[in-house]
């Protein structure tokens, strides 16, 4: 079974975020009001082949924890969606 996964990785609250700080300053320099504390992270999508959603979840967690995020500086969340078979999908 194929699953589509969306992963969001963001800096831990309180952790220095230089890109977010730069973006926050830039918003002020172009005179946009009402926006502050911008945090910049990563958005990752991937396909997972697994027997069921629980197995897909285990694969995603393992991938995140071993490769995609740094637990000292970042946190992550993910959402698993069943992938719809498309005309061009390989069997």
């Amino acid at each position: 079974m194929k699953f589509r996964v969306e992963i969001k990785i963001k800096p831990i609250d309180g952790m220095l975020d230089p890109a977010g700080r730069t973006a926050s300053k830039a918003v002020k320099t172009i005179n946009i009001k009402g926006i502050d504390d911008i945090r910049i992270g990563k958005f990752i999508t991937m396909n997972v082949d697994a027997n069921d959603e629980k197995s897909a979840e285990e694969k995603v967690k393992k991938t995140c924890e071993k490769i995609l995020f740094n637990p000292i500086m970042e946190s992550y969340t993910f959402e698993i969606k069943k992938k719809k078979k498309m005309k061009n999908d390989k069997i």
Side-chain angles (χ1 to χ4, degrees):
M1 189 178 295
K2 288 263 189 196
F3 296 92
R4 187 71 178 158
V5 180
E6 296 178 348
I7 303 165
K8 295 176 186 171
I9 299 173
K10 69 178 191 101
I12 293 173
D13 291 338
M15 180 63 61
L16 182 64
D17 180 9
R21 185 184 306 164
T22 300
S24 292
K25 288 179 182 178
V27 166
K28 289 179 178 135
T29 64
I30 60 173
N31 205 26
I32 298 175
K33 307 272 188 232
I35 295 176
D36 62 5
D37 194 25
I38 296 172
R39 308 287 287 169
I40 295 180
K42 299 177 257 186
F43 180 75
I44 300 166
T45 60
M46 67 177 150
N47 294 327
V48 177
D49 199 6
N51 292 330
D52 53 38
E53 191 167 334
K54 184 176 181 191
S55 297
E57 184 175 319
E58 290 170 6
K59 287 182 178 187
V60 173
K61 282 182 181 178
K62 189 173 186 177
T63 302
C64 286
E65 292 171 4
K66 293 197 176 267
I67 298 172
L68 298 178
F69 98 113
N70 179 344
I72 295 169
M73 300 170 41
E74 300 169 314
S75 63
Y76 73 93
T77 58
F78 63 89
E79 183 178 351
I80 297 177
K81 302 174 180 184
K82 197 179 282 189
K83 188 174 180 205
K84 295 178 182 169
K85 187 168 170 108
M86 303 300 284
K87 185 176 175 181
N88 295 335
D89 281 353
K90 295 179 183 174
I91 299 175

